[in-house]
Amino acid sequence: MSENAQIRTRFAPSPTGYLHVGGARTALFNWLYARKNNGKFILRIEDTDRARSTPEAIQAILNGLRWLGLDWDEGPEVGGNFGPYFQTQRLEIYNKYLAELLDKKAAYEKDGAVYFKSTDPDSNIEDFVIRRSDGMPVYNYAVVIDDALMQITHIIRGDDHLSNTPRQVMIYKALNFAVPKIVHVPMILGPDGQRLSKRHGATSVEEYAGQGILPEAMVNYLARLGWAYKDQEFFTRADLLEKFSLNKVGKSAAIFDNKKLEWLNAEHLKKASLARLKDFLPAEYLRHPKIDQILTLSQSRLKTIEHIVKSCAYFIEKEIAVPPELQATADSARQYLPELAAELKVTDWRLPAIEKTVRDFAARKNLEAGKIIMPLRVILTGSNVSPGIFEVMELLGQELTVARLSQ
């Protein structure tokens, strides 16, 4: 590879029905390195397992990458000068180079399969199969042909591929292909130190999307699994493109921590623009004249995408339901509500006056303020957690506040 060659990275998943977080992290590192260096990011589908590589499984990969915002320059649905980008469409290409290896006596046939002659000087690696007896190429062979012909300059992949590397380098050299730079990133483990799997909970990008995780938070978290920049935890996409480098990728396995992902998600929601938050609201909410004020008041408490809608709902919906588990709290102040509603109906509807009316009312009834405030919160919001109740009441409006208390 010449020093001036354009950097070309790739992500080459085997479709399994979803985009695993380990694969997503690999794709992200390749994407970041290509984008930072004005290179190209290629998507190639290793679909030789025909039983598992269904159109739906392939689409799940594409959908996951698009959700993360990892666009590819060449590959499925995009095309490019180095296709096809599906291994099952490249069988003639594999056979061409297989014939070359056989002609060079670098490979031989046995029992219908084709074996590569190991060139390991220490004889630790024995001859190995590069085409099965059913005619399908083996991974270690096909991946070399693909990467060489697609002019991949940098291979960034999980360290579970370390043992494949010597065999692949042998094939590169036997075919006089330039060997790309190969970087192995640490595995992602569950909290118990075992390889991340379904028993640890969600493992696919799609599942986390369904749990209300922002794609920008997921990208931030995936980047920090095995890579670090000083002690910084919060990264925007622009931060990552500026600061990502392969020499900061660690050697120790990364532990997937759902709590940390949830924390990062909340941080991204807190720092998101109102326009970004509005992406997740239904059209009728967006038409509300106070939607910007509602979002601003609620933003610091947001945890997931679902919370965006929930935090707006009680300001906009005409009626809200009190959950059964909070009914007793709501009922604890029922006897006082008609009188309080009557006083609020004639209150100057600004925060200081609203707060004074409620606190003075509680004092006259010889009640701690909390004995009125908590039932108010439950009745007005349908929850026992909300922004400051007086800020909520001011924004909710006098008419709707009095109506709910009068029900």
Side-chain angles (χ1 to χ4, degrees), residues 19-40:
L19 178 59
H20 188 276
V21 294
R25 195 269 308 265
T26 297
L28 174 61
F29 281 13
N30 280 279
W31 183 87
L32 284 170
Y33 192 72
R35 291 288 175 264
K36 179 169 183 177
N37 292 285
N38 298 312
K40 298 290 185 183

Side-chain angles (χ1 to χ4, degrees), residues 98 101 106-110 113-120 124-132 138-144 163-172 174:
L98 204 68
L101 290 172
Y108 59 90
E109 292 190 66
K110 179 182 176 183
V114 176
Y115 286 74
F116 183 86
K117 288 183 180 177
S118 174
T119 55
D120 179 17
N124 292 324
I125 298 175
E126 298 179 348
D127 296 354
F128 52 93
V129 175
I130 55 176
R131 189 184 72 185
R132 295 189 292 267
V138 169
Y139 167 77
N140 274 329
Y141 170 67
V143 74
V144 168
S163 61
N164 293 324
T165 305
R167 293 171 176 82
Q168 292 168 9
V169 170
M170 289 179 199
I171 299 171
Y172 274 108

Side-chain angles (χ1 to χ4, degrees), residues 8 50 69 78 96 196 209 223 312 342:
R8 291 173 60 85
R50 291 175 173 174
V78 173
K96 172 188 172 184
L196 190 67
C312 294

Side-chain angles (χ1 to χ4, degrees), residues 33 183 227-228 243-251:
Y33 192 72
V183 176
W227 172 82
K243 294 167 181 172
F244 182 79
S245 64
L246 292 176
N247 62 10
K248 293 293 185 182
V249 174
K251 292 181 172 58

Side-chain angles (χ1 to χ4, degrees), residues 278-290:
K278 288 178 182 178
D279 287 342
F280 305 101
L281 293 178
E284 61 267 27
Y285 283 24
L286 295 175
R287 290 193 289 269
H288 194 282
K290 294 182 179 178

Side-chain angles (χ1 to χ4, degrees), residues 284-294 315-316 395:
E284 61 267 27
Y285 283 24
L286 295 175
R287 290 193 289 269
H288 194 282
K290 294 182 179 178
I291 191 60
D292 284 5
Q293 294 164 268
I294 292 169
F315 287 104
I316 298 171
L395 198 50

Side-chain angles (χ1 to χ4, degrees), residues 11 16 50 83 101 103 108 116 166 176 209-210 216 260 371 379 396:
F11 177 51
T16 57
R50 291 175 173 174
L101 290 172
D103 287 344
Y108 59 90
F116 183 86
N176 296 316
E216 44 266 56
K260 190 169 182 180
K371 297 291 186 181
I379 292 166
L396 195 58

